[in-house]
Amino acid sequence: EVPLVESGGGSVQAGGSLRLSCRATGYTFCMGWFRQAPGKEREGVALVDNDGRTNTSTSVKGRFTISKDNAKNTLYLQMNNLKPEDTGMYYCAALVGGGNWVCELYCGGGDCYANFPLGVRYNRWGQGTQVTVSS
């Protein structure tokens, strides 16, 4: 098992900032942040792989920054200029395993995939942390 321990989140007004953290114990091929608003499907926010490549959703690009401290095996999500539509439960996820391909942020049908064509799902999830942005 590779447990993921999240911290951060909270309530802020629009335009504010928050920082999420996720500490992993053990090897991960890639790690990312996902979010789910009430009544909506889970969506990918940003990911980083072991080569340092990042992928950020267009909905948050320019406002959110993902980073990873490899020495601490901790993933971060710096969220600036938050908007009410950013409200939701934010989950840290990781893929233990992998292959000779680049991780993806795709979510569909109730699952989130590191490689959708191969059917490789993110297989470790944190407990989630709530982010609420008021207007």
Side-chain angles (χ1 to χ4, degrees):
E1 282 291 318
V2 179
L4 304 178
V5 180
E6 299 162 347
S7 60
S11 298
V12 295
Q13 290 190 324
S17 298
L18 286 171
R19 189 194 197 203
L20 306 182
S21 301
C22 173
R23 180 170 54 84
T25 55
Y27 170 80
T28 59
F29 184 69
C30 55
M31 295 181 69
W33 292 98
F34 296 79
R35 66 185 182 185
Q36 189 165 19
K40 293 189 176 181
E41 192 162 333
R42 194 168 295 189
E43 64 171 342
V45 177
L47 71 84
V48 60
D49 68 16
N50 281 347
D51 291 327
R53 287 176 294 216
T54 61
N55 184 356
T56 304
S57 168
T58 55
S59 63
V60 303
K61 193 167 289 185
R63 299 188 296 121
F64 292 11
T65 302
I66 191 169
S67 61
K68 188 181 178 192
D69 185 330
N70 289 322
K72 297 180 180 179
N73 211 14
T74 300
L75 183 71
Y76 301 99
L77 185 67
Q78 178 65 45
M79 304 184 294
N80 297 328
N81 191 21
L82 281 158
K83 303 176 180 180
E85 52 264 42
D86 295 319
T87 294
M89 188 69 78
Y90 282 67
Y91 297 92
C92 173
L95 173 65
V96 177
N100 188 24
W101 36 264
V102 177
C103 288
E104 301 170 3
L105 273 175
Y106 177 75
C107 294
D111 283 310
C112 293
Y113 295 85
N115 188 311
F116 180 67
L118 294 179
V120 179
R121 297 170 175 82
Y122 285 91
N123 50 18
R124 298 292 185 272
W125 289 85
Q127 77 281 4
T129 184
Q130 178 68 35
V131 172
T132 302
V133 185
S134 58
S135 57

